[in-house]
Amino acid sequence: MIDVQLKAPLAGWSLPLAAVPDPVFAEGMMGPGLAIDPTGDTLHAPCDGEVLTLHAARHAITLGVGAGVALLMHIGIDTVALAGRGFEPLVAPGDQVRAGDPLIRFDLDAVVLGAASAVTPMIVVEGEGVTLVDAVVDGPVAVGDALVRLVSAGVAASAIATAGETVRHDTIVLLPHGLHARPAARIVAAVRASGAEVTLHAGDRSASAASPIGLLALGLAQGTAVTLEARGGAARQVIAEIEALLTAEVDAAPAAAPAAPRIVQREIEPGAIAGVPAAPGLAVGPAFWLRMETPDVPTSGDGCEIERDRLAAGFAAVDARLDTAAATPGQLGGVLTAHRAILADPDLRARADAGIAAGLSAAAAVLAAAETQGAALRASGNARIVERADDIRDVALRVVHAILGTEPAALSVPAGVIVLADDLLPSQLAGLAAARVGGFAVMRGGPTSHVAILAAGMGVPMVVALGEAIRPLADGTMLVLDADSGTLIADPAEARLATARETIATRATAEAAALAAGNRPAAMADGLPIGVYANLGSVADAEAAAAAGAEGCGLLRTEFLFLDRATAPSVDEQAAEYRGVVAGLPDRPVVIRLLDVGGDKPAPYLAIPAEENPALGVRGIRVALARPEVLDAQLRAILSVPDVARCRIMVPMVASVDEMIAVRGALDALRGELGIGPVPLGAMIETPAAAATADLIAGHADFLSIGSNDLTQYVLAMDRGNPALAAGIDGLHPAVLRLIEMTCRGAATRGVPVSVCGGLAADPLAAPILIGLGVRTLSVPPARIPSTKALVAALTLAATERLAAAALAAASAAEVRALARRFAEDTDR
Ligand code: PEP
Ligand code: MG
């Protein structure tokens, strides 16, 4: 057992390991730890110990700190290439050192200029069951400041013996994206059902297979060799099940976030701080820092027995509360259910137990356990997994309050402020639901985190991942938060403030007017009707769209209805969902898109073989045509909707007329069998091939709908999911507009209507151009319906046609956007 306080070995800025710009360190492959971005030039001993090794290139040193625990300190990244230049060791292997003793002096300038990075990781490279506690990260440190505690408990959950034989089996992870959340959850379910105690070993790291977080923290990539060890229960059978899950060639990768089309263009206005949009909207207000409440927790306990009882009581109390609260309707209920699952994770409990065994109080032990789990998740490098770290801390704080018999301090936040936070916990956001907050600007976080989902549900704009740039902003600083572009402007000029306020007022008026207009169809100022439809991914979306005045559904992403399925949804299950969506939009047309999986939208229940280039592989309609039973089941489900007369069927990723002919054949045969009349069939125009042959495709389609997200990625040859290309992948690129124009022209030869259901339809700069090119229906997220209707009402066809002609002649997307901005200003005047 060990409990050692490590002091900062360097002056600088402390960082979590995940921030180290080298995956070997950042992903925890060498062990747990943290890092310092140095401002000082001398590495010091973080605690007493013995120098074990000093690298020949003099940039890295290991220190034995007792109880078999060894620390590696590695000055900079790729500094081995400096071959010792600029490094002066002050100790030698075998030397005993005291905390604070200088170890290596180095030329900081030479490291900064000559190496990939000066960030210096400090890693626990040896030591069983060592936990990092009380880490001080993301802040300035001086040499000798308390940085982190090393605690090894010596009691692991796996030490509990289970009767029966022990079975060991070696295998290799074949999952294309490695072991991530969904297959991990399935492994946990299999293990729990088996009654066996199962441990996964990968190299020198192990995790209980009953712990989803323990499994994720192993960070098993494709190709990693693992050993499965099972004892008791149905050991052999569960090993076979786990092996099947690890070696599946189809990856149950995290699915794309539903109903949130990517914003394909980011323009950062000068002086703005750039983050990532998490919940849409625009807000103006004074800054208000939300300081993370950390309860005063006693470090040492009153003895193992007492603290274990406290821990058990705390877990039980929170479980009971979450059990009741999880019945809350809507997204909050879903989040609380997820929190209950985190509470049930045996790894969290085992780590907390181990902390108590090491002398911590129950409250300190649960916080330390959450910190360790969170650090492991952050080190995974997978954004979605990293986001779950906040949920773990939230759950741990609930347990701490239950143990201490305290309640979290009620958050008192003035109405209308823009809340700034280092990070936000879901429970804090839920507590703010009634506060009428203007917006959220968060240093960390991710766009698919639970807090982002909750903020969108509350209708409050949120920008995440704004980073350190917002730290200096004082309470009361005037801010403009643009959560559509993902930016924050501090101390804006009066004129900028006035524009933002005007936009907010205009949007509010437009929304009120559109809501008041109810289901009145949208029309341009000269009377030309333009359909404003909604893109949907769930029954709840349909209800929101109806309330917002959608004239129909222009795109039901059916793949989003069955994201997490291990088995294909039956005809009845599909039919129930389609019925719900159609009923949610009474009397209005509903375009149901056939399953669009493959590419960036995996469907775990369809064994689509791994592909080298999935965006150009078996995706969209290619999947359905390769598996007639999938197409048959979906068509049957759609045709069974009682109100099928309001349904239209849309074919994704069409590249040739043959595909439309094949689907039409299958549909007509089924209609004949079931005795159902005509159901309109449309084609999505998402490939350059479909746009270029729109006249031919229109010969076999009742309508065309442009999927501008995919069309843009294929026309520009830019992966729509690649953040490095996000600034360049703009649907207003003249090349994309010329193909949209070609589509409208081709469709017009057959009298077939054209809509746009990709993200471009919801872009206020793009919508007038699309109308000018011939598009007559815009299908947008439900929240955009009122503003899109208001925008359309201010336009005339002649003006949009002039704008479209100018856009087609422009040389770049930036030029098109400049034209569209001038047009918007003229229209507003
Ligand atoms: C599109 O590609 O624009 C589209 C609407 O389809 P999805 O975003 O679902 O691929
Ligand atoms: Mg698409």
Side-chain angles (χ1 to χ4, degrees), residues 90-138:
L90 306 171
V91 289
D95 285 357
Q96 299 293 327
V97 294
R98 306 297 307 266
D101 283 355
L103 303 176
I104 301 174
R105 191 170 301 127
F106 58 97
D107 181 342
L108 181 58
D109 288 349
V111 172
V112 168
L113 293 173
S117 164
V119 167
T120 298
M122 179 165 71
I123 311 275
V124 181
V125 283
E126 271 174 33
E128 272 298 299
V130 174
T131 309
L132 303 188
V133 180
D134 299 335
V136 177
V137 285
D138 277 334

Side-chain angles (χ1 to χ4, degrees), residues 261-262 535 555 557 559-560 593 596 600-601 619 650 652-653 684-686 705-712 714 720 756-760:
R262 259 175 59 76
N535 292 347
L555 166 63
R557 289 180 162 105
E559 60 281 358
F560 283 161
R593 177 171 74 182
D596 183 21
D600 61 339
K601 288 183 260 189
R619 59 162 301 192
M650 184 156 78
M653 290 296 299
M684 284 196 79
I685 304 296
E686 301 182 282
S705 186
I706 297 171
S708 56
N709 306 334
D710 275 316
L711 185 61
T712 306
Y714 293 124
R720 65 192 267 194
V756 173
C757 61
L760 215 50

Side-chain angles (χ1 to χ4, degrees), residues 161-167 191 194-198 229-239:
T162 306
E165 62 170 338
T166 298
V167 184
V191 170
S194 74
E197 184 199 329
V198 186
E229 188 180 298
R231 217 173 336 156
R236 283 185 190 284
Q237 188 190 329
V238 77
I239 282 205

Side-chain angles (χ1 to χ4, degrees), residues 125 148 195 238 266 280 374 421 429 457 488 525 566 682:
V125 283
V148 67
V238 77
R266 294 202 67 201
L429 209 73
L488 183 74

